[in-house]
Amino acid sequence: EHPLQTVLGEGTACKSGASILLCGMGADEQLCGYSRYRIRARKGGPRAVRADMEGDMRRIWTRNLGRDDRCLSDHSREARFPFLDET
């Protein structure tokens, strides 16, 4: 089985020959997608949530993107991150 295969349910696999992959990194950090943001909102209010989101966005470059880029590059793939695009 190829490492880039994605399991879709009970043993059904999907294989793509695409060399460029669109990744959803940054969506949760920008759109309050993590449940911990809801907990933070209840305890600390909107300012606390915003501070957490901004901290997550500052760290995403070193914490998540480097790891994901190395994994994809190891399989001759390139990632695009539309939620993190500045344009």
Side-chain angles (χ1 to χ4, degrees):
E1 209 173 281
H2 193 276
L4 286 181
Q5 286 180 337
T6 304
V7 177
L8 305 170
E10 290 294 318
T12 305
C14 176
K15 188 175 184 178
S16 172
S19 61
I20 297 175
L21 306 173
L22 294 176
C23 299
M25 298 294 295
D28 288 324
E29 290 81 1
Q30 292 183 44
L31 304 172
C32 291
Y34 294 122
S35 59
R36 61 185 165 87
Y37 291 146
R38 287 188 294 279
I39 294 166
R40 186 73 164 139
R42 278 187 235 122
K43 292 182 178 184
R47 287 186 180 163
V49 174
R50 183 178 176 106
D52 284 359
M53 292 171 66
E54 288 172 352
D56 288 343
M57 286 302 292
R58 278 192 303 275
R59 287 186 298 272
I60 196 169
W61 306 104
T62 55
R63 180 184 288 176
N64 301 62
L65 296 179
R67 174 203 61 212
D68 293 350
D69 187 53
R70 286 188 301 276
C71 290
L72 292 170
S73 295
D74 191 44
H75 298 286
S76 303
R77 301 298 191 266
E78 289 183 49
R80 297 294 186 267
F81 305 99
F83 288 98
L84 301 175
D85 193 359
E86 292 184 30
T87 58

Short mmCIF file of all heavy atoms in Angstrom, two decimals, residues 14-70:
data_model
loop_
_atom_site.label_atom_id
_atom_site.label_comp_id
_atom_site.label_asym_id
_atom_site.label_seq_id
_atom_site.Cartn_x
_atom_site.Cartn_y
_atom_site.Cartn_z
N CYS A 14 -8.25 5.51 -1.59
CA CYS A 14 -8.23 6.42 -2.73
C CYS A 14 -6.78 6.77 -3.00
O CYS A 14 -6.04 7.13 -2.09
CB CYS A 14 -9.02 7.69 -2.39
SG CYS A 14 -8.96 8.93 -3.67
N LYS A 15 -6.37 6.68 -4.26
CA LYS A 15 -4.99 6.97 -4.62
C LYS A 15 -4.99 8.09 -5.66
O LYS A 15 -5.76 8.07 -6.59
CB LYS A 15 -4.35 5.70 -5.19
CG LYS A 15 -2.89 5.80 -5.43
CD LYS A 15 -2.38 4.44 -5.87
CE LYS A 15 -0.89 4.45 -6.02
NZ LYS A 15 -0.39 3.12 -6.40
N SER A 16 -4.13 9.07 -5.45
CA SER A 16 -4.07 10.20 -6.37
C SER A 16 -2.67 10.32 -6.96
O SER A 16 -1.68 10.13 -6.25
CB SER A 16 -4.42 11.49 -5.63
OG SER A 16 -4.18 12.62 -6.46
N GLY A 17 -2.60 10.65 -8.21
CA GLY A 17 -1.32 10.89 -8.86
C GLY A 17 -0.94 12.36 -8.85
O GLY A 17 0.03 12.76 -9.48
N ALA A 18 -1.71 13.18 -8.14
CA ALA A 18 -1.46 14.62 -8.11
C ALA A 18 -0.11 14.91 -7.46
O ALA A 18 0.26 14.29 -6.47
CB ALA A 18 -2.57 15.33 -7.34
N SER A 19 0.61 15.86 -8.01
CA SER A 19 1.89 16.23 -7.42
C SER A 19 1.76 17.43 -6.49
O SER A 19 2.64 17.70 -5.69
CB SER A 19 2.92 16.51 -8.50
OG SER A 19 2.49 17.59 -9.31
N ILE A 20 0.66 18.17 -6.60
CA ILE A 20 0.40 19.31 -5.73
C ILE A 20 -0.90 19.05 -4.97
O ILE A 20 -1.91 18.71 -5.57
CB ILE A 20 0.28 20.62 -6.55
CG1 ILE A 20 1.61 20.91 -7.23
CG2 ILE A 20 -0.13 21.78 -5.65
CD1 ILE A 20 1.60 22.10 -8.14
N LEU A 21 -0.82 19.17 -3.66
CA LEU A 21 -1.97 18.87 -2.81
C LEU A 21 -2.43 20.12 -2.07
O LEU A 21 -1.61 20.88 -1.57
CB LEU A 21 -1.59 17.80 -1.79
CG LEU A 21 -1.00 16.51 -2.36
CD1 LEU A 21 -0.51 15.61 -1.24
CD2 LEU A 21 -2.01 15.79 -3.23
N LEU A 22 -3.74 20.33 -2.02
CA LEU A 22 -4.30 21.43 -1.25
C LEU A 22 -4.53 20.95 0.18
O LEU A 22 -5.16 19.91 0.38
CB LEU A 22 -5.63 21.89 -1.84
CG LEU A 22 -5.57 22.52 -3.22
CD1 LEU A 22 -6.97 22.83 -3.72
CD2 LEU A 22 -4.72 23.77 -3.21
N CYS A 23 -4.00 21.68 1.14
CA CYS A 23 -4.12 21.30 2.54
C CYS A 23 -4.95 22.35 3.29
O CYS A 23 -4.88 23.53 2.98
CB CYS A 23 -2.74 21.19 3.17
SG CYS A 23 -1.71 19.93 2.39
N GLY A 24 -5.68 21.90 4.27
CA GLY A 24 -6.55 22.80 5.03
C GLY A 24 -5.90 23.41 6.26
O GLY A 24 -6.61 23.95 7.12
N MET A 25 -4.58 23.35 6.34
CA MET A 25 -3.89 23.91 7.50
C MET A 25 -4.24 25.40 7.65
O MET A 25 -4.28 26.13 6.67
CB MET A 25 -2.38 23.78 7.35
CG MET A 25 -1.88 22.36 7.25
SD MET A 25 -2.13 21.43 8.75
CE MET A 25 -1.07 22.32 9.85
N GLY A 26 -4.49 25.80 8.87
CA GLY A 26 -4.79 27.19 9.15
C GLY A 26 -6.27 27.49 9.26
O GLY A 26 -6.66 28.51 9.82
N ALA A 27 -7.12 26.60 8.74
CA ALA A 27 -8.56 26.85 8.79
C ALA A 27 -9.07 26.85 10.22
O ALA A 27 -9.81 27.75 10.63
CB ALA A 27 -9.30 25.81 7.95
N ASP A 28 -8.69 25.85 11.00
CA ASP A 28 -9.14 25.79 12.40
C ASP A 28 -8.64 26.98 13.21
O ASP A 28 -9.35 27.52 14.04
CB ASP A 28 -8.69 24.49 13.06
CG ASP A 28 -9.44 23.28 12.54
OD1 ASP A 28 -10.64 23.41 12.26
OD2 ASP A 28 -8.82 22.21 12.43
N GLU A 29 -7.40 27.37 12.95
CA GLU A 29 -6.81 28.48 13.68
C GLU A 29 -7.48 29.81 13.34
O GLU A 29 -7.55 30.71 14.17
CB GLU A 29 -5.32 28.58 13.38
CG GLU A 29 -4.48 27.46 13.96
CD GLU A 29 -4.51 26.18 13.14
OE1 GLU A 29 -5.17 26.12 12.09
OE2 GLU A 29 -3.86 25.21 13.56
N GLN A 30 -7.99 29.96 12.14
CA GLN A 30 -8.62 31.22 11.73
C GLN A 30 -10.13 31.24 11.93
O GLN A 30 -10.72 32.31 12.07
CB GLN A 30 -8.32 31.49 10.25
CG GLN A 30 -6.87 31.79 9.99
CD GLN A 30 -6.63 32.12 8.54
OE1 GLN A 30 -7.39 32.87 7.94
NE2 GLN A 30 -5.58 31.56 7.98
N LEU A 31 -10.75 30.07 11.96
CA LEU A 31 -12.20 30.01 12.02
C LEU A 31 -12.72 29.39 13.32
O LEU A 31 -13.86 28.92 13.38
CB LEU A 31 -12.74 29.22 10.81
CG LEU A 31 -12.30 29.76 9.45
CD1 LEU A 31 -12.71 28.81 8.34
CD2 LEU A 31 -12.87 31.15 9.22
N CYS A 32 -11.90 29.38 14.35
CA CYS A 32 -12.27 28.84 15.67
C CYS A 32 -12.74 27.39 15.60
O CYS A 32 -13.72 27.01 16.22
CB CYS A 32 -13.35 29.69 16.33
SG CYS A 32 -12.78 31.30 16.83
N GLY A 33 -12.03 26.58 14.85
CA GLY A 33 -12.45 25.20 14.65
C GLY A 33 -12.10 24.24 15.78
O GLY A 33 -12.61 23.13 15.81
N TYR A 34 -11.26 24.63 16.69
CA TYR A 34 -10.89 23.74 17.79
C TYR A 34 -11.85 23.89 18.95
O TYR A 34 -12.25 25.00 19.31
CB TYR A 34 -9.47 24.03 18.27
CG TYR A 34 -8.40 23.73 17.26
CD1 TYR A 34 -7.52 24.72 16.84
CD2 TYR A 34 -8.26 22.46 16.72
CE1 TYR A 34 -6.53 24.45 15.90
CE2 TYR A 34 -7.27 22.18 15.79
CZ TYR A 34 -6.41 23.17 15.39
OH TYR A 34 -5.43 22.90 14.47
N SER A 35 -12.20 22.78 19.59
CA SER A 35 -13.12 22.84 20.72
C SER A 35 -12.51 23.62 21.88
O SER A 35 -13.23 24.23 22.67
CB SER A 35 -13.52 21.43 21.17
OG SER A 35 -12.38 20.69 21.55
N ARG A 36 -11.19 23.66 21.97
CA ARG A 36 -10.57 24.41 23.06
C ARG A 36 -10.85 25.91 22.95
O ARG A 36 -10.82 26.63 23.95
CB ARG A 36 -9.07 24.14 23.13
CG ARG A 36 -8.29 24.53 21.93
CD ARG A 36 -6.83 24.07 22.11
NE ARG A 36 -6.12 24.10 20.87
CZ ARG A 36 -5.50 25.17 20.41
NH1 ARG A 36 -5.50 26.29 21.10
NH2 ARG A 36 -4.87 25.13 19.26
N TYR A 37 -11.13 26.39 21.74
CA TYR A 37 -11.51 27.80 21.59
C TYR A 37 -12.86 28.06 22.24
O TYR A 37 -13.07 29.12 22.84
CB TYR A 37 -11.56 28.21 20.12
CG TYR A 37 -10.23 28.26 19.42
CD1 TYR A 37 -10.13 27.93 18.08
CD2 TYR A 37 -9.06 28.65 20.07
CE1 TYR A 37 -8.92 27.99 17.40
CE2 TYR A 37 -7.85 28.72 19.41
CZ TYR A 37 -7.78 28.38 18.08
OH TYR A 37 -6.58 28.44 17.42
N ARG A 38 -13.78 27.12 22.13
CA ARG A 38 -15.09 27.29 22.78
C ARG A 38 -14.94 27.31 24.30
O ARG A 38 -15.56 28.12 24.99
CB ARG A 38 -16.06 26.19 22.34
CG ARG A 38 -16.54 26.36 20.91
CD ARG A 38 -17.65 25.38 20.57
NE ARG A 38 -17.21 23.99 20.56
CZ ARG A 38 -16.57 23.40 19.55
NH1 ARG A 38 -16.29 24.09 18.47
NH2 ARG A 38 -16.23 22.13 19.62
N ILE A 39 -14.12 26.42 24.79
CA ILE A 39 -13.87 26.37 26.24
C ILE A 39 -13.23 27.67 26.70
O ILE A 39 -13.62 28.26 27.71
CB ILE A 39 -12.99 25.16 26.59
CG1 ILE A 39 -13.75 23.87 26.29
CG2 ILE A 39 -12.53 25.21 28.04
CD1 ILE A 39 -12.89 22.62 26.28
N ARG A 40 -12.26 28.14 25.93
CA ARG A 40 -11.57 29.40 26.26
C ARG A 40 -12.54 30.57 26.25
O ARG A 40 -12.46 31.47 27.08
CB ARG A 40 -10.44 29.62 25.26
CG ARG A 40 -9.57 30.79 25.58
CD ARG A 40 -8.70 30.47 26.77
NE ARG A 40 -7.62 31.44 26.81
CZ ARG A 40 -7.18 31.99 27.92
NH1 ARG A 40 -7.69 31.64 29.08
NH2 ARG A 40 -6.21 32.85 27.88
N ALA A 41 -13.48 30.57 25.29
CA ALA A 41 -14.48 31.65 25.20
C ALA A 41 -15.36 31.68 26.44
O ALA A 41 -15.66 32.75 26.97
CB ALA A 41 -15.33 31.47 23.95
N ARG A 42 -15.75 30.50 26.92
CA ARG A 42 -16.59 30.43 28.12
C ARG A 42 -15.84 30.94 29.35
O ARG A 42 -16.42 31.60 30.20
CB ARG A 42 -17.06 29.00 28.37
CG ARG A 42 -18.27 28.64 27.55
CD ARG A 42 -18.81 27.27 27.95
NE ARG A 42 -18.85 26.48 26.72
CZ ARG A 42 -18.23 25.33 26.53
NH1 ARG A 42 -17.54 24.77 27.50
NH2 ARG A 42 -18.33 24.71 25.38
N LYS A 43 -14.57 30.61 29.43
CA LYS A 43 -13.79 30.96 30.62
C LYS A 43 -13.17 32.36 30.56
O LYS A 43 -13.09 33.04 31.57
CB LYS A 43 -12.68 29.94 30.85
CG LYS A 43 -13.21 28.58 31.23
CD LYS A 43 -12.09 27.61 31.48
CE LYS A 43 -12.64 26.26 31.91
NZ LYS A 43 -11.58 25.33 32.25
N GLY A 44 -12.72 32.78 29.37
CA GLY A 44 -11.97 34.03 29.28
C GLY A 44 -12.55 35.08 28.37
O GLY A 44 -12.03 36.19 28.30
N GLY A 45 -13.59 34.73 27.61
CA GLY A 45 -14.21 35.70 26.72
C GLY A 45 -13.51 35.82 25.38
O GLY A 45 -12.50 35.16 25.10
N PRO A 46 -14.02 36.71 24.53
CA PRO A 46 -13.52 36.86 23.16
C PRO A 46 -12.05 37.27 23.07
O PRO A 46 -11.33 36.83 22.18
CB PRO A 46 -14.41 37.95 22.55
CG PRO A 46 -15.57 38.09 23.45
CD PRO A 46 -15.18 37.56 24.79
N ARG A 47 -11.61 38.10 23.97
CA ARG A 47 -10.21 38.54 23.92
C ARG A 47 -9.25 37.37 24.17
O ARG A 47 -8.20 37.27 23.56
CB ARG A 47 -9.95 39.66 24.91
CG ARG A 47 -10.56 40.96 24.46
CD ARG A 47 -10.18 42.08 25.36
NE ARG A 47 -10.80 43.30 24.89
CZ ARG A 47 -10.94 44.38 25.59
NH1 ARG A 47 -10.46 44.42 26.82
NH2 ARG A 47 -11.52 45.44 25.10
N ALA A 48 -9.63 36.51 25.08
CA ALA A 48 -8.81 35.34 25.38
C ALA A 48 -8.74 34.40 24.17
O ALA A 48 -7.68 33.86 23.85
CB ALA A 48 -9.35 34.60 26.60
N VAL A 49 -9.87 34.23 23.50
CA VAL A 49 -9.90 33.38 22.30
C VAL A 49 -9.01 33.98 21.22
O VAL A 49 -8.21 33.28 20.59
CB VAL A 49 -11.35 33.20 21.77
CG1 VAL A 49 -11.35 32.45 20.45
CG2 VAL A 49 -12.20 32.48 22.78
N ARG A 50 -9.15 35.26 21.01
CA ARG A 50 -8.33 35.93 19.99
C ARG A 50 -6.84 35.78 20.30
O ARG A 50 -6.04 35.50 19.40
CB ARG A 50 -8.70 37.41 19.89
CG ARG A 50 -7.93 38.12 18.79
CD ARG A 50 -8.36 39.57 18.68
NE ARG A 50 -7.56 40.23 17.70
CZ ARG A 50 -7.97 40.58 16.49
NH1 ARG A 50 -9.20 40.32 16.12
NH2 ARG A 50 -7.16 41.19 15.66
N ALA A 51 -6.46 35.92 21.55
CA ALA A 51 -5.05 35.76 21.93
C ALA A 51 -4.57 34.34 21.64
O ALA A 51 -3.46 34.14 21.12
CB ALA A 51 -4.86 36.10 23.41
N ASP A 52 -5.40 33.34 21.93
CA ASP A 52 -5.04 31.96 21.64
C ASP A 52 -4.91 31.73 20.14
O ASP A 52 -3.97 31.06 19.68
CB ASP A 52 -6.08 30.99 22.21
CG ASP A 52 -5.96 30.83 23.71
OD1 ASP A 52 -5.05 31.44 24.32
OD2 ASP A 52 -6.78 30.07 24.27
N MET A 53 -5.85 32.26 19.37
CA MET A 53 -5.81 32.10 17.91
C MET A 53 -4.56 32.75 17.31
O MET A 53 -3.90 32.16 16.45
CB MET A 53 -7.07 32.70 17.28
CG MET A 53 -8.33 31.93 17.60
SD MET A 53 -9.83 32.78 17.07
CE MET A 53 -9.65 32.76 15.29
N GLU A 54 -4.24 33.93 17.78
CA GLU A 54 -3.05 34.62 17.28
C GLU A 54 -1.78 33.84 17.64
O GLU A 54 -0.88 33.73 16.82
CB GLU A 54 -2.99 36.04 17.82
CG GLU A 54 -4.03 36.95 17.20
CD GLU A 54 -4.12 38.31 17.87
OE1 GLU A 54 -3.48 38.53 18.92
OE2 GLU A 54 -4.85 39.17 17.33
N GLY A 55 -1.74 33.30 18.84
CA GLY A 55 -0.59 32.48 19.24
C GLY A 55 -0.47 31.23 18.38
O GLY A 55 0.63 30.86 17.96
N ASP A 56 -1.60 30.60 18.09
CA ASP A 56 -1.58 29.41 17.23
C ASP A 56 -1.08 29.76 15.83
O ASP A 56 -0.32 29.00 15.23
CB ASP A 56 -2.97 28.79 17.14
CG ASP A 56 -3.39 28.10 18.42
OD1 ASP A 56 -2.50 27.80 19.26
OD2 ASP A 56 -4.59 27.84 18.59
N MET A 57 -1.51 30.90 15.30
CA MET A 57 -1.07 31.30 13.96
C MET A 57 0.43 31.63 13.94
O MET A 57 1.11 31.35 12.96
CB MET A 57 -1.88 32.50 13.45
CG MET A 57 -3.29 32.15 13.04
SD MET A 57 -3.40 30.89 11.75
CE MET A 57 -2.73 31.79 10.37
N ARG A 58 0.94 32.19 15.02
CA ARG A 58 2.38 32.47 15.09
C ARG A 58 3.20 31.18 15.11
O ARG A 58 4.29 31.12 14.56
CB ARG A 58 2.71 33.32 16.31
CG ARG A 58 2.48 34.80 16.12
CD ARG A 58 3.10 35.61 17.25
NE ARG A 58 2.61 35.23 18.56
CZ ARG A 58 1.50 35.68 19.14
NH1 ARG A 58 0.75 36.55 18.50
NH2 ARG A 58 1.16 35.29 20.34
N ARG A 59 2.67 30.16 15.77
CA ARG A 59 3.40 28.90 15.92
C ARG A 59 3.20 27.92 14.77
O ARG A 59 3.97 26.98 14.63
CB ARG A 59 2.98 28.20 17.22
CG ARG A 59 3.50 28.85 18.46
CD ARG A 59 3.16 28.01 19.68
NE ARG A 59 1.73 27.87 19.88
CZ ARG A 59 0.96 28.70 20.57
NH1 ARG A 59 1.49 29.77 21.13
NH2 ARG A 59 -0.32 28.49 20.72
N ILE A 60 2.17 28.09 13.97
CA ILE A 60 1.83 27.10 12.96
C ILE A 60 2.98 26.86 11.98
O ILE A 60 3.18 25.76 11.49
CB ILE A 60 0.53 27.47 12.21
CG1 ILE A 60 -0.01 26.25 11.46
CG2 ILE A 60 0.74 28.64 11.26
CD1 ILE A 60 -1.41 26.47 10.91
N TRP A 61 3.76 27.89 11.71
CA TRP A 61 4.86 27.76 10.73
C TRP A 61 5.90 26.77 11.19
O TRP A 61 6.42 25.99 10.40
CB TRP A 61 5.51 29.13 10.50
CG TRP A 61 4.50 30.14 10.10
CD1 TRP A 61 3.99 31.13 10.90
CD2 TRP A 61 3.83 30.26 8.85
NE1 TRP A 61 3.04 31.85 10.21
CE2 TRP A 61 2.92 31.33 8.95
CE3 TRP A 61 3.90 29.54 7.66
CZ2 TRP A 61 2.10 31.71 7.89
CZ3 TRP A 61 3.08 29.93 6.62
CH2 TRP A 61 2.20 31.00 6.74
N THR A 62 6.21 26.77 12.48
CA THR A 62 7.25 25.88 12.97
C THR A 62 6.67 24.56 13.49
O THR A 62 7.30 23.52 13.36
CB THR A 62 8.04 26.54 14.12
OG1 THR A 62 7.14 26.96 15.13
CG2 THR A 62 8.81 27.73 13.61
N ARG A 63 5.49 24.60 14.04
CA ARG A 63 4.92 23.40 14.66
C ARG A 63 4.34 22.45 13.62
O ARG A 63 4.60 21.25 13.66
CB ARG A 63 3.83 23.81 15.65
CG ARG A 63 3.18 22.62 16.32
CD ARG A 63 2.06 23.03 17.21
NE ARG A 63 2.58 23.69 18.40
CZ ARG A 63 1.82 24.22 19.32
NH1 ARG A 63 0.51 24.22 19.20
NH2 ARG A 63 2.35 24.80 20.37
N ASN A 64 3.53 22.93 12.71
CA ASN A 64 2.79 22.05 11.82
C ASN A 64 3.31 22.04 10.38
O ASN A 64 3.44 20.98 9.78
CB ASN A 64 1.31 22.44 11.79
CG ASN A 64 0.68 22.38 13.15
OD1 ASN A 64 1.09 23.09 14.05
ND2 ASN A 64 -0.31 21.54 13.32
N LEU A 65 3.54 23.21 9.82
CA LEU A 65 3.86 23.27 8.40
C LEU A 65 5.19 22.62 8.06
O LEU A 65 5.32 21.98 7.02
CB LEU A 65 3.84 24.72 7.91
CG LEU A 65 2.47 25.39 7.99
CD1 LEU A 65 2.55 26.82 7.50
CD2 LEU A 65 1.44 24.62 7.20
N GLY A 66 6.18 22.77 8.90
CA GLY A 66 7.47 22.15 8.64
C GLY A 66 7.35 20.64 8.59
O GLY A 66 7.87 19.98 7.70
N ARG A 67 6.63 20.07 9.56
CA ARG A 67 6.41 18.63 9.60
C ARG A 67 5.67 18.14 8.36
O ARG A 67 6.07 17.19 7.71
CB ARG A 67 5.60 18.29 10.86
CG ARG A 67 5.19 16.83 10.95
CD ARG A 67 3.96 16.65 11.84
NE ARG A 67 2.83 17.39 11.31
CZ ARG A 67 1.88 17.94 12.08
NH1 ARG A 67 1.95 17.87 13.38
NH2 ARG A 67 0.88 18.58 11.53
N ASP A 68 4.57 18.82 8.02
CA ASP A 68 3.77 18.39 6.87
C ASP A 68 4.54 18.53 5.57
O ASP A 68 4.44 17.66 4.70
CB ASP A 68 2.47 19.20 6.81
CG ASP A 68 1.55 18.90 7.98
OD1 ASP A 68 1.84 17.94 8.74
OD2 ASP A 68 0.57 19.62 8.15
N ASP A 69 5.31 19.59 5.43
CA ASP A 69 6.10 19.78 4.22
C ASP A 69 7.14 18.66 4.07
O ASP A 69 7.35 18.15 2.98
CB ASP A 69 6.78 21.15 4.24
CG ASP A 69 7.49 21.43 2.93
OD1 ASP A 69 6.84 21.33 1.87
OD2 ASP A 69 8.69 21.73 2.97
N ARG A 70 7.78 18.28 5.17
CA ARG A 70 8.77 17.19 5.11
C ARG A 70 8.11 15.88 4.71
O ARG A 70 8.65 15.12 3.90
CB ARG A 70 9.48 17.05 6.45
CG ARG A 70 10.49 18.14 6.72
CD ARG A 70 11.32 17.87 7.95
NE ARG A 70 10.54 17.72 9.17
CZ ARG A 70 10.12 18.73 9.93
NH1 ARG A 70 10.40 19.99 9.58
NH2 ARG A 70 9.42 18.52 11.02
#
